[in-house]
Amino acid sequence: MKMKFLYLIGIMLIGGLLVSCDKDSDEEKTKNFKELLVGHWVESHSQGYYHDFSNPEYNEEWDEDISEGETFWFKEDGTFEETFEGVSKGNWILNGNQLSLTVTWADDPENIGGSNSPVILELSESKLVLESHDKNDDYEEYNKSTFIKVTP
C-alpha cells in the first residue's frame, strides 16, 4: 500500500513539473517581442534580389555588409522613425512575427503614405532580422536585412 502511495505522489510531482514548465503563451511571446523591438536599430547586412520581368537589364542580386544603411527607431507608443534616403515616420504593429509598418507624413498625419509588412526571422536584445518579399506581374523583390541595436 505504501509503494502505491509513493508511486501516486511521484506521478503527481512529475505532472506538476510538466505543467509548470509550459512554454510562454502567444500573447506573452508577442509582449516579449514588443519589448525587444523597442529601440534604435541600424542595418548591418542586406541580401536579396530584384527581378524585373519586362526589363531584365535591371535585375540584380546582392549579399553585402553595410556601413551606412537603413535605421529604425521603434518607440513604445507604437510609432517609428526610419532613415533611408530621407526620414519617414509612421506606426508599427506587431502580430506574432509579422511587423506591420504604416508611413504617415508629418505635415498631414491623415495621409497614409504606404505600408510594409516584413516578417521577423530573428529578434534578440542585440539583433533583428527582417524578411520581405513582393511579387506582382511586373517584378519580384526579396530582401533580408540584419540590424544591430544601437540603443534600447
Side-chain angles (χ1 to χ4, degrees), residues 39-92:
H40 187 195
W41 297 89
V42 176
E43 187 176 26
S44 62
H45 190 84
S46 178
Q47 66 185 81
Y49 59 84
Y50 176 82
H51 294 163
D52 188 312
F53 302 133
S54 300
N55 301 300
E57 66 271 14
Y58 297 129
N59 291 357
E60 63 178 316
E61 295 184 13
W62 61 90
D63 188 353
E64 59 191 1
D65 290 331
I66 300 172
S67 60
E68 294 184 29
E70 184 175 19
T71 67
F72 278 103
W73 187 284
F74 294 104
K75 300 177 183 177
E76 288 182 37
D77 65 358
T79 61
F80 73 89
E81 289 183 25
E82 173 190 20
T83 305
F84 183 72
E85 298 176 358
V87 177
S88 301
K89 295 183 179 189
N91 299 307
W92 63 273

